[in-house]
Amino acid sequence: MKIGLYGGTFSPPHNGHVRFAKLFVEKAALDKLYIMPAGIPPHKEADSWGTPQARLEMSRLAFGSFAVVSDYEICQPGKSYTYKTLLQLRRIYPKDALYVLVGEDMFLSLDTWKCPEILFSAATIVCMHRGTDMREHVEAAGTAYKRRYGGNIIYLEEAPLAVSSTQIRQMCAAGQDISALVPAPVAAYIKQNGLYRYE
Ligand code: ATP
């Protein structure tokens, strides 16, 4: 059995996230994918653009047709730490079953995450290239992680969509059309709820 975990702020989820999530399911031959919007993301500024509930709802709209969108981290008190979520999943699934997807920007900072040794021992880390010029750094970081923590790392080479949530929030704030960059129900939700009108 193969179980994937893809966490993020998802403020908002965009077509790049959806594409990566689908590729993750396909390339890692997952039986189930958990999408995990972070409650309070440890690496980001306070979420001033959308409540956790809005991010959860938009994640359901974006990923719900092919993945399980979990409110586990959003319901936890304090900051969201992936190692804690993994330990929770380990209560249900065996170690070899778990795969965690991270974009290469996140991959480069994995050893600054809380309890990296648990991350690497509890799951296989799947790093998706985002088409940036970070490849050399990514490979060097992967070698260093393996030396320090052991564990398994898989690299997926897929042409990414050049889109970020930051860009979408900025476009919304500028009154621009985001419909080509996010799933249609997410665009409708943002419009209906007047999200991201002020960056
Ligand atoms: P922000 O612009 O607010 O920093 P983001 O677009 O990077 O947000 P996150 O929610 O922080 O989105 O990302 C969650 C995960 O998705 C991270 O591992 C990140 O590397 C990855 N990711 C984000 N955008 C893309 C993209 N266009 N293609 C592939 N992976 C992406």
Side-chain angles (χ1 to χ4, degrees):
M1 176 182 289
K2 290 181 162 188
I3 307 297
L5 174 65
Y6 183 27
T9 312
F10 301 128
S11 185
H14 52 63
N15 289 346
H17 294 135
V18 174
R19 176 177 150 78
F20 265 28
K22 286 185 172 165
L23 284 168
F24 186 29
V25 172
E26 185 191 317
K27 301 280 175 186
L30 298 179
D31 296 295
K32 189 187 245 191
L33 170 62
Y34 286 97
I35 298 290
M36 190 67 67
I40 304 177
H43 296 282
K44 296 205 176 177
E45 298 291 311
D47 183 359
S48 55
W49 330 282
T51 61
Q53 283 66 31
R55 293 188 289 103
L56 179 64
E57 194 51 44
M58 289 189 287
S59 298
R60 288 191 172 128
L61 294 170
F63 303 104
S65 62
F66 64 95
V68 177
V69 179
S70 171
D71 64 359
Y72 172 73
E73 288 190 1
I74 278 177
C75 292
Q76 295 299 304
K79 290 192 170 178
S80 303
Y81 291 114
T82 302
Y83 87 93
K84 282 194 186 168
T85 305
L86 279 177
L87 289 179
Q88 197 62 25
L89 286 171
R90 280 295 308 281
R91 296 165 69 141
I92 314 173
Y93 302 109
K95 173 186 166 187
D96 291 347
L98 296 179
Y99 292 73
V100 178
L101 180 68
V102 288
E104 61 188 357
D105 51 335
M106 291 290 171
F107 183 78
L108 286 174
S109 69
L110 274 184
D111 57 349
T112 68
W113 291 23
K114 190 113 169 160
C115 301
E117 65 287 353
I118 297 182
L119 287 179
F120 282 92
S121 68
T124 296
I125 306 292
V126 180
C127 172
M128 278 274 196
H129 286 295
R130 279 181 75 171
T132 63
D133 53 7
M134 292 184 204
R135 182 170 305 259
E136 267 179 39
H137 299 298
V138 168
E139 280 162 14
T143 307
Y145 294 154
K146 284 214 66 116
R147 210 177 308 123
R148 206 169 316 143
Y149 307 112
N152 290 323
I153 301 172
I154 295 175
Y155 300 94
L156 297 183
E157 308 274 344
E158 295 294 335
L161 291 180
V163 55
S164 72
S165 298
T166 304
Q167 177 193 351
I168 289 163
R169 292 193 303 273
Q170 287 168 347
M171 289 174 71
C172 289
Q176 292 167 354
D177 178 17
I178 57 163
S179 58
L181 301 176
V182 299
V186 172
Y189 184 96
I190 290 171
K191 194 169 180 197
Q192 273 157 21
N193 292 278
L195 297 184
Y196 310 123
R197 280 197 289 207
Y198 306 101
E199 247 295 271

